[in-house]
Amino acid sequence: MIPLLMLTSRNTEVDGTAAQLIRGYDGTTLNTDANLEKIMNPLKDDSLMFASAIKRMKEKSEQKTNDEIRDEKISGFYFLLVSFSHHPDALIRQAALNLLDIFNHYGLEIKEESFTRESSLLNSLLADLNKPKALADIALVPQCAEYIAALQQAHDTFEASRLAFESAQAEEGTLENASKIKQEVVNRINNQLVPYLNVMTQLDEPTYGAFARLVAELISANNEVVKKRRKKDEEPVME
């Protein structure tokens, strides 16, 4: 008997298992079975939507991470200036204060803005820091140029992935989310494919047996990963 795919599988696990099931099916001659086609064709459609939804989730996650890195660089630059604004050397102290005045025009609150507004404000801040007077002050404050370069790089990385993120945001309202599609994929496998193959293998093992065994192997491998992860999560922490 073919086991059922565990609903507690992760999105990527269900996506991977479904993709392998489809590849296995496409390698058979079972497309002559009209009933199986009615199961597998919708599963293929679901799988494509699922992969797209997971890709959107990944893009959104990466953008959030890139923004967090950018925010860290903003904070780092600010605290560098605060530190050197108390430096005993008058030239360094005044240079840091001058740069701090530029930064304070935007403030640490820049990090709390929307992605789009933060990008716009950060572009303005970096442009202000690239003016001749600011560049002269930057040259006087130790490590200041390196901190600005790191901030610029983090900002560039964020902006480079921004188009993919905004596309994902736009699609989010029109396409089903990954969790919902995952449930549909699992239901189609468990409620349609598995029962059908279990019955047809008993009626005609030579025709359906090989594919049924592949399905059982793939689902069992997935479930074993889920069980091991659950067991690990349940293990008591030794103090």
Side-chain angles (χ1 to χ4, degrees), residues 53-220:
I54 290 174
K55 182 173 181 289
R56 295 200 311 275
M57 288 176 61
K58 181 174 180 291
E59 288 165 346
K60 292 174 71 174
S61 176
E62 287 177 348
Q63 192 71 347
K64 185 174 184 296
T65 298
N66 289 337
D67 182 59
E68 289 171 351
I69 294 172
R70 184 172 66 167
D71 289 348
E72 289 175 3
K73 301 305 179 185
I74 292 172
S75 296
F77 177 55
Y78 170 73
F79 289 116
L80 175 80
L81 296 181
V82 170
S83 175
F84 280 106
S85 69
H86 300 282
H87 198 278
D89 185 292
L91 288 177
I92 294 176
R93 182 172 64 251
Q94 188 57 53
L97 286 169
N98 292 341
L99 294 171
L100 198 55
D101 283 341
I102 295 175
F103 184 93
N104 285 336
H105 179 70
Y106 301 90
L108 277 175
E109 295 79 9
I110 190 176
K111 299 189 300 180
E112 308 304 322
E113 298 285 353
S114 66
F115 286 169
T116 300
R117 180 158 171 75
E118 181 177 345
S119 290
S120 176
L121 292 171
L122 195 50
N123 283 333
S124 295
L125 171 59
L126 290 168
D128 287 346
L129 293 172
N130 199 41
K131 293 177 180 178
K133 177 62 172 67
L135 290 173
D137 288 328
I138 290 168
L140 290 171
V141 178
Q143 294 186 297
C144 189
E146 289 80 0
Y147 272 69
I148 293 174
L151 174 57
Q152 180 71 66
Q153 182 177 2
H155 181 51
D156 290 344
T157 298
F158 178 91
E159 289 296 286
S161 60
R162 188 174 175 184
L163 179 60
F165 168 77
E166 290 178 345
S167 296
Q169 286 285 83
E171 291 181 14
E172 193 65 33
T174 57
L175 297 177
E176 295 176 280
N177 61 48
S179 296
K180 183 176 180 181
I181 301 174
K182 167 193 164 183
Q183 187 169 2
E184 292 177 357
V185 170
V186 173
N187 287 340
R188 197 175 300 281
I189 291 172
N190 288 346
N191 299 332
Q192 297 181 23
L193 180 62
V194 169
Y196 185 75
L197 287 177
N198 279 333
V199 170
M200 296 307 296
T201 301
Q202 293 180 28
L203 296 176
D204 188 357
E205 201 283 335
T207 299
Y208 294 89
F211 181 53
R213 286 189 291 274
L214 174 64
V215 172
E217 181 181 342
L218 292 173
I219 293 177
S220 295

